[in-house]
Amino acid sequence: MSPSLSEKFQYQEKRKAVDLSHHLSDLSRARATSPLKGLARYFGRPDLISLAGGMPNEAYFPFAAISGDALVPDSFSIADSQSESSLSWLWKLFGSRKEKTTSVTIPKYPANKDDITLKVALQYGTATGLPQLQKFINELVEKIYQPAYLDWTILVQTGNTDGWSRAVTTLCNPGEAFITEDWTYPSALAGTAPYGIHPVGVLMDDQGMRSDELRKLLAEWDEGARGCKRPHVMYTVPVGQNPTGVTMGLERKREIYDICVEYDVIIVEDDPYYFLQMGSYAAKLDPVSQAMHADPESWLSSLAPSYLKYVIDYQGRVIRLDTFSKTIAPGARLGFFTCNPRFAERLERAGEVSTQAPCGFGQSLVAQLLTTWKYDGYVRWLQGLAVQYKSRRDFLLDALREEFDMQMSIGTTSSWKGCTVYTASSKPRAGSTRMLEKRAYGSKALFSLVPPTSGMFVWLKMHFENVPGFQPDEEPSTMELKLFVKLAEAGVLIGPGRYFSSDEDNASPVDGHFRIAFSYASEEDFTKAVKIFGEVMREFFKE
């Protein structure tokens, strides 16, 4: 097997990114530096007296300092927390363990040259973000993502939804199409619709987007039949794919990257769940245990790499979107781009006339936290989070297995080919008069799932063909809506699958879907919700 293009380049000396500016949209090309923001290049002069900008004097900021108690980096164990969760009832009974915290303070004025201050953070700033935050992000990107070219650049944004909005309008003109997975993040679709920029879905498997289907789409693109030119932008969520929860490995990313080089496609890598990789699922009653990583560095080395990695993106055709929403707090409204400098400059121009810069409160608090924890502390925090979310996933899946009869098989068709699939049917209930009937006629499949390997969601495929009276020509979205309403009225809210479809018009006439989040609810609420879900499902399928 001949080496891929990215494999050929991995042993060569790093170079600067190639010029990909021909991908810029008309809107992006038309952007000039904001006249007032352009003055910022003079602000570094110590002898400068500025009378140009309309900046309020910091003496009138009503905050003299902001302080808070932050959790320490090792607040969450990196041991498999399933064994710990069995004692959770004891903590609830006798009181929870006291949280360990450390104090962080942002003063208005600096005591030292490099201090983060409210004087700077709460003032009008540049779209590039606080210098201390930039420095930390640069260290993070260099050590973890290890970009393959020399002149990569980071730029803050207000979360990945803002990041995608800026990226797509920087790259696409109205009427164009972009490539994505056949199921994807709804806001990514909704955000492009008003611009007349529409998605084209590619089938997935257990690693996300299929490279063979991507090549087929690009090679067979018919501009006349499609009504637009061949897409030159891809939007993808490769880790903890939203909504399916699958994780794309190195080789698949290489395959897709090489196809994107061949057909000149820019990859926008939306990766909010990168640090929530949790591996395969093993039920609590199964005699299977997974080795836990004893230290943060071995854990980091186990993670699927970013498209930025030195063995993949040697040209600088990836715009990576990172966010602190899943690792610190979504209310901080803070994330960052990593991309080539030409794209970064255009994205900065877009930011300085829209959001300008993320909120100074959020920036300063997150920056102070990260510089207090330092790189090693943040990585330890991230590993603890990954273990916590793995425990949540396992608890929800175990609860579903207790409520339903779950049969395991290997998928053979569609996007689940080769996946470990759990198919649920009703469990015979003690004392049920229908137990003999079930033994005689079997039990109908209600739904199927593939355990997620990253992220925050379980993706269910419904078997509506087993609903009595189901008509093949009935819209699956209609069945989804009926079941969604019944569940909501019973007290459980889950996400209808049609929200995530890149092409609702060509949906399966049989399959409906739902997305269930395991990120927020308590174990008590999970247990209650699964019981309600089981009752509604049995009634809906007339079990």
Side-chain angles (χ1 to χ4, degrees):
M1 183 176 178
S2 59
S4 66
L5 291 172
S6 52
E7 286 177 307
K8 291 178 181 178
F9 276 88
Q10 68 174 297
Y11 301 111
Q12 296 186 13
E13 185 178 346
K14 284 187 179 182
R15 305 172 182 176
K16 289 186 176 182
V18 301
D19 185 357
L20 296 166
S21 57
H22 58 282
H23 284 280
L24 296 173
S25 67
D26 295 339
L27 173 64
S28 180
R29 293 174 189 275
R31 292 192 189 279
T33 301
S34 170
L36 292 177
K37 294 297 180 183
L39 300 174
R41 67 178 182 272
Y42 297 105
F43 288 171
R45 287 179 50 182
D47 59 341
L48 183 74
I49 300 172
S50 176
L51 303 178
M55 299 188 297
N57 189 291
E58 67 272 3
Y60 305 136
F61 297 169
F63 298 94
I66 296 177
S67 298
D69 294 329
L71 297 180
V72 296
D74 60 353
S75 291
F76 300 111
S77 172
I78 57 175
D80 189 338
S81 54
Q82 275 225 353
S83 58
E84 292 185 350
S85 65
S86 65
L87 297 176
S88 61
W89 65 271
L90 193 62
W91 296 115
K92 290 175 183 176
L93 184 62
F94 294 106
S96 60
R97 291 167 285 189
K98 183 175 176 59
E99 293 178 334
K100 295 181 181 179
T101 61
T102 184
S103 178
V104 294
T105 299
I106 304 107
K108 181 178 285 188
Y109 300 105
N112 302 293
K113 180 183 176 183
D114 294 328
D115 284 352
I116 298 167
T117 65
L118 298 180
K119 174 185 176 180
V120 175
L122 301 187
Q123 188 57 269
Y124 287 119
T126 64
T128 55
L130 294 175
Q132 298 91 336
L133 181 61
Q134 293 178 55
K135 182 179 179 181
F136 186 91
I137 292 172
N138 272 303
E139 181 183 10
L140 186 78
V141 170
E142 186 169 24
K143 289 182 175 179
I144 295 179
Y145 304 140
Q146 304 171 359
Y149 56 99
L150 291 172
D151 53 346
W152 54 272
T153 304
I154 63 102
L155 177 72
V156 296
Q157 30 92 335
T158 61
N160 284 7
T161 301
D162 169 55
W164 166 239
S165 178
R166 271 201 251 174
V168 72
T169 53
T170 295
L171 298 170
C172 293
N173 289 313
E176 292 184 350
F178 66 93
I179 301 162
T180 190
E181 294 92 350
D182 55 347
W183 302 99
T184 193
Y185 177 47
S187 292
L189 306 177
T192 62
Y195 297 105
I197 302 169
H198 61 276
V200 179
V202 176
L203 289 176
M204 291 187 288
D205 60 12
D206 62 331
Q207 289 199 57
M209 186 181 292
R210 287 172 48 178
S211 54
D212 59 335
E213 290 291 336
L214 173 63
R215 179 176 290 282
K216 180 181 178 183
L217 173 75
L218 293 169
E220 298 177 2
W221 188 268
D222 185 332
E223 188 171 321
R226 295 276 191 169
C228 63
K229 66 180 183 179
R230 190 173 65 202
H232 65 105
V233 173
M234 174 192 294
Y235 170 82
T236 181
V237 183
V239 173
Q241 200 278 334
N242 188 357
T244 64
V246 299
T247 303
M248 186 180 291
L250 172 61
E251 292 308 314
R252 176 65 59 81
K253 283 177 177 166
R254 274 178 164 166
E255 293 169 8
I256 288 177
Y257 184 85
D258 289 344
I259 293 169
C260 289
V261 171
E262 182 180 348
Y263 288 93
D264 195 20
V265 175
I266 300 299
I267 299 171
V268 181
E269 179 183 26
D270 186 2
D271 219 353
Y273 309 106
Y274 181 81
F275 296 107
L276 302 186
Q277 299 184 42
M278 55 195 72
S280 58
Y281 164 69
K284 66 180 181 181
L285 298 179
D286 290 347
V288 178
S289 62
Q290 296 188 48
M292 303 304 295
H293 298 282
D295 63 273
E297 284 306 315
S298 66
W299 169 70
L300 280 178
S301 67
S302 74
L303 302 181
S306 165
Y307 270 107
L308 290 178
K309 184 85 169 179
Y310 62 87
V311 292
I312 306 177
D313 183 24
Y314 58 91
Q315 290 190 332
R317 65 174 55 248
V318 174
I319 299 177
R320 180 178 171 85
L321 309 180
D322 274 279
T323 179
F324 292 106
S325 291
K326 307 301 188 292
T327 59
I328 302 294
R333 304 315 308 140
L334 186 61
F336 58 95
F337 299 99
T338 308
C339 60
N340 71 59
R342 295 176 183 85
F343 287 171
E345 186 273 336
R346 290 291 89 191
L347 291 164
E348 183 181 350
R349 298 289 83 78
E352 66 189 14
V353 294
S354 56
T355 56
Q356 298 194 28
C359 171
F361 291 106
Q363 273 201 81
S364 59
L365 282 168
V366 171
Q368 188 65 57
L369 176 68
L370 295 175
T371 54
T372 299
W373 279 352
K374 303 191 184 319
Y375 169 81
D376 289 339
Y378 185 49
V379 172
R380 173 59 181 81
W381 171 262
L382 294 172
Q383 186 182 9
L385 287 187
V387 173
Q388 288 295 309
Y389 281 100
K390 177 184 180 298
S391 177
R392 286 176 160 274
R393 176 203 65 179
D394 293 351
F395 187 91
L396 176 59
L397 293 176
D398 288 344
L400 287 169
R401 291 189 67 174
E402 289 176 7
E403 181 67 19
F404 298 94
D405 181 16
M406 303 282 276
Q407 297 297 317
M408 187 174 68
S409 63
I410 302 300
T412 58
T413 60
S414 188
S415 61
W416 284 357
K417 186 175 182 179
C419 299
T420 299
V421 180
Y422 288 86
T423 300
S425 58
S426 286
K427 273 187 175 179
R429 285 160 286 174
S432 171
T433 58
R434 300 183 61 202
M435 288 183 67
L436 293 176
E437 180 183 344
K438 282 181 177 290
R439 289 173 182 170
Y441 296 102
S443 189
K444 297 181 291 187
L446 307 180
F447 63 88
S448 297
L449 64 87
V450 172
T453 52
S454 304
M456 294 180 167
F457 310 110
V458 174
W459 183 237
L460 305 184
K461 180 168 74 172
M462 311 306 299
H463 294 286
F464 288 139
E465 72 275 15
N466 291 327
V467 174
F470 173 76
Q471 298 298 320
D473 58 347
E474 185 170 3
E475 289 289 335
S477 60
T478 303
M479 299 293 287
E480 272 186 10
L481 180 60
K482 289 179 180 178
L483 181 54
F484 168 79
V485 170
K486 287 183 177 294
L487 285 166
E489 290 177 346
V492 174
L493 199 65
I494 59 179
R498 63 189 179 90
Y499 292 174
F500 304 87
S501 176
S502 62
D503 185 4
E504 279 194 69
D505 294 336
N506 292 316
S508 164
V510 175
D511 298 331
H513 297 82
F514 286 100
R515 191 191 75 173
I516 299 178
F518 54 81
S519 56
Y520 183 76
S522 66
E523 291 185 359
E524 182 181 358
D525 284 343
F526 277 148
T527 302
K528 182 179 179 181
V530 169
K531 290 293 184 186
I532 294 172
F533 181 70
E535 292 169 2
V536 172
M537 287 289 288
R538 285 187 288 271
E539 175 62 26
F540 193 80
F541 281 80
K542 305 297 184 188
E543 284 287 327

